[in-house]
Amino acid sequence: MALGPRLDLRQSQSLVMTPQLQQAIKLLALSNLEIETFVGDALETNPLLDAGQVTRENDDGGPNDAGDETPEPATSDDLMAAGAGEADAPLDIDTGALDRDRDTGDWSAQMSSGGAEDLPDLENRGEDEITLAAHLDAQIGAAAPDERTAFIARHLIGLLDEAGYCTAPMREVAGDLGVPIADVEAALEIVQTLDPTGVGARSLSECLALQAIEADRHDPCMKVLIANLDLVAKGAFAHLRRICDVDEEDLADMLNELREYDPRPGLQFGGGVGAAVVPDILLTNGADSGWDIALNEATLPRLVVNRGYYLELREGCAAKDAKSWLSEKLADANWLIKALDQRQKTILKVAAEIVKQQDGFFRNGVSELRPLTLRTVAEAIEMHESTVSRVTSNKYLHCDRGTFELKYFFTSGVGGGADGEGASAEAVKARIKALTDAEDPKKILSDDKLVELLKAEGFDIARRTVAKYREASGIGSSVQRRRAKKIAAM
């Protein structure tokens, strides 16, 4: 059969990602603080938009304008009634389209102490907290002998990690700056003289040695001890006494002094990137043992269309281009107001289902945290997993037990118990930590014993799973815990 070119007409359907649809997807993934910034930019670029008063939502999820005391600004619906409907374009955002798309992309409250002991702390750092880099930079001027060394030292300060360690290879730093490696090492020595003592170290041994030198305790015996921290971790005290040439009492004194040093001196200061976490969703106890879920209105601005200004501009628009520009701005304003309203309803819908699924957690703590997946929530609210994923990104929920990222409530399930449902991985980790913390130093629990205790409590999991969760929680093996508690008891 001969091959030849030809023209065919085909009809098909596909999802068109219009600019407005793409923007709606981005809005869904933004937090309230990011939305506040976005709205601020929109107010600057669109003269028809005004920041209205924040209003509570009524029972049907729509805005309650009954308490709005500002008569002049009006919403897009008011503007339609005033005769400006010809400029209102339809909202180019479809919930179904969002579901089908697979592109993944100051408020404070007093926290209750009930049940908080078994939950991870959420460290909130103030924006005005001094950082390690700023603290060290302020000392460089007096410590460096010349401007060249000060410049290299400030560059090294910028490379320190949050614990204060310098992990960058000196040769690479010298190559980046185009200076001899000897100059970089000299600048590092300057950094290591700064407060807090131990910053700029390239290893744990060097960090502890700097602090021993500062305390005038870096004698030959301490030097050998610091150089053999691996033996300290293993609890090889007999070997340490022999290589340090000290008796048991002197070794105990050296170990006690070593424990007083700070292995992470940089953590005394903020990292400069942590900002106070502001919750997007507020959860409080409601009537009839239920829950009240609301968006944090303190960081959620309300947009309205300035009706008077629009009518004034429309009367003064004679040119066709001016009318077209005004119609475009009005359509953009209407779309943004509707898109933000849709975003709020979607967030509340997802949050309500999460609270429903994790009701035991909010009432009794992490021990009753259930296994939960995005698919489970998506099927319950009839949305796509990608939509739920966007809603739970960068969103925080505040309740009596603290402030948690929505992603925290999605955990894998392990060890089907008596109810056949299984337990949350976080709940298992919390229980393992509680058992190891309460164990008798003379009767350290092995992984096999932990399996037995967990099975007695309804957690039917394998030994390798216990070992994996134990290591993930930073809990040492039975041998390591026995040695560590022996050292602590000395």
Side-chain angles (χ1 to χ4, degrees):
M1 183 177 69
L3 298 177
R6 69 178 185 179
L7 295 176
D8 288 332
L9 292 177
R10 294 182 180 178
Q11 189 176 28
S12 62
Q13 292 182 341
S14 63
L15 177 63
V16 178
M17 292 290 292
T18 64
Q20 286 184 327
L21 181 57
Q22 295 178 19
Q23 188 64 64
I25 293 174
K26 293 179 181 179
L27 288 178
L28 201 58
L30 297 181
S31 65
N32 278 7
L33 292 181
E34 292 170 327
I35 285 291
E36 190 174 10
T37 303
F38 178 84
V39 168
D41 295 339
L43 289 171
E44 292 181 1
T45 58
N46 195 331
L48 300 183
L49 283 174
D50 270 348
Q53 295 182 354
V54 176
T55 60
R56 296 187 179 276
E57 298 200 352
N58 54 23
D59 295 336
D60 59 1
N64 181 10
D65 294 329
D68 193 354
E69 300 177 357
T70 306
E72 188 60 28
T75 62
S76 58
D77 294 336
D78 297 331
L79 197 56
M80 290 280 289
E86 68 276 6
D88 187 16
L91 177 64
D92 191 8
I93 175 173
D94 176 34
T95 306
L98 282 174
D99 293 343
R100 290 189 297 271
D101 174 57
R102 293 179 177 270
D103 181 32
T104 55
D106 265 299
W107 185 92
S108 63
Q110 199 73 13
M111 297 201 315
S112 170
S113 60
E117 66 277 357
D118 58 354
L119 300 178
D121 292 333
L122 190 61
E123 297 295 333
N124 296 336
R125 296 175 178 172
E127 295 181 358
D128 56 347
E129 182 180 0
I130 186 172
T131 64
L132 175 63
H135 179 72
L136 297 177
D137 187 79
Q139 306 175 56
I140 284 295
D146 51 63
E147 289 298 326
R148 176 186 175 88
T149 305
F151 172 79
I152 301 175
R154 288 190 173 93
H155 180 77
L156 290 173
I157 289 174
L159 298 178
L160 299 181
D161 60 18
E162 62 178 6
Y165 285 84
C166 182
T167 57
M170 295 294 99
R171 190 173 300 277
E172 291 184 8
V173 175
D176 294 339
L177 298 179
V179 297
I181 190 173
D183 293 350
V184 177
E185 293 176 346
L188 181 62
E189 292 180 1
I190 298 297
V191 174
Q192 292 177 350
T193 63
L194 304 179
D195 177 74
T197 306
V199 295
R202 286 160 289 188
S203 64
L204 176 60
S205 297
E206 187 175 17
C207 178
L208 298 179
L210 291 172
Q211 297 179 58
I213 294 173
E214 176 71 16
D216 195 20
R217 285 287 290 125
H218 197 244
D219 51 51
C221 296
M222 180 65 77
K223 184 177 181 180
V224 173
L225 179 63
I226 293 176
N228 293 273
L229 294 178
D230 56 333
L231 296 179
V232 176
K234 295 178 180 179
F237 303 123
H239 190 187
L240 286 172
R241 287 197 302 269
R242 185 168 59 255
I243 63 176
C244 293
D245 194 19
V246 294
D247 56 23
E248 186 173 349
E249 183 178 355
D250 289 339
L251 179 62
D253 291 339
M254 293 168 62
L255 291 174
N256 288 332
E257 186 171 352
L258 199 64
R259 284 198 294 268
E260 295 178 357
Y261 297 154
D262 189 354
R264 299 177 180 178
L267 295 183
Q268 301 176 23
F269 301 86
V273 296
V277 173
V278 179
D280 303 270
I281 304 161
L282 309 178
L283 180 67
T284 55
N285 292 321
D288 300 328
S289 301
W291 301 103
D292 289 337
I293 306 174
L295 294 178
N296 185 4
E297 295 178 349
T299 59
L300 195 62
R302 176 173 177 253
L303 286 180
V304 295
V305 176
N306 192 325
R307 173 184 175 183
Y309 190 53
Y310 168 76
L311 295 177
E312 181 180 349
L313 288 179
R314 192 177 65 167
E315 291 176 358
C317 288
K320 184 177 180 181
D321 293 343
K323 291 182 179 180
S324 176
W325 175 84
L326 186 60
S327 298
E328 180 182 349
K329 291 299 179 182
L330 179 60
D332 290 343
N334 290 334
W335 173 85
L336 182 56
I337 292 172
K338 293 180 181 178
L340 290 176
D341 182 64
Q342 172 111 9
R343 172 185 176 273
Q344 296 176 23
K345 293 178 180 178
T346 305
I347 292 176
L348 287 175
K349 194 173 183 179
V350 172
E353 183 61 28
I354 292 176
V355 172
K356 178 181 177 182
Q357 296 283 348
Q358 300 291 6
D359 182 77
F361 166 82
F362 295 106
R363 298 187 186 278
N364 303 312
V366 72
S367 60
E368 295 195 18
L369 190 65
R370 295 177 50 193
L372 186 63
T373 62
L374 294 175
R375 179 180 294 275
T376 303
V377 174
E379 291 177 352
I381 62 178
E382 298 181 351
M383 288 186 176
H384 196 273
E385 291 180 58
S386 61
T387 304
V388 178
S389 177
R390 293 187 190 97
V391 170
T392 55
S393 297
N394 303 317
K395 308 291 191 310
Y396 291 85
L397 181 145
H398 178 83
C399 61
D400 289 341
R401 297 188 174 277
T403 303
F404 304 90
E405 188 177 9
L406 290 184
K407 293 288 188 183
Y408 173 79
F409 301 106
F410 294 89
T411 60
S412 58
V414 294
D419 56 1
E421 185 182 55
S424 164
E426 293 296 331
V428 176
K429 290 179 183 178
R431 192 59 194 140
I432 291 175
K433 186 177 187 305
L435 290 173
T436 54
D437 289 344
E439 65 187 352
D440 187 344
K442 297 181 180 180
K443 296 181 180 180
I444 301 298
L445 301 176
S446 64
D447 288 346
D448 290 329
K449 186 62 177 178
L450 288 174
V451 170
E452 293 180 8
L453 295 176
L454 290 173
K455 284 186 176 180
E457 298 180 6
F459 300 104
D460 187 11
I461 56 178
R463 180 185 180 279
R464 62 179 180 274
T465 306
V466 170
K468 181 180 70 172
Y469 287 165
R470 175 179 53 75
E471 294 173 358
S473 301
I475 302 173
S477 64
S478 58
V479 176
Q480 292 173 332
R481 298 199 307 276
R482 182 179 293 108
R483 289 171 177 171
K485 293 185 178 183
K486 181 179 179 181
I487 295 175
M490 291 180 64

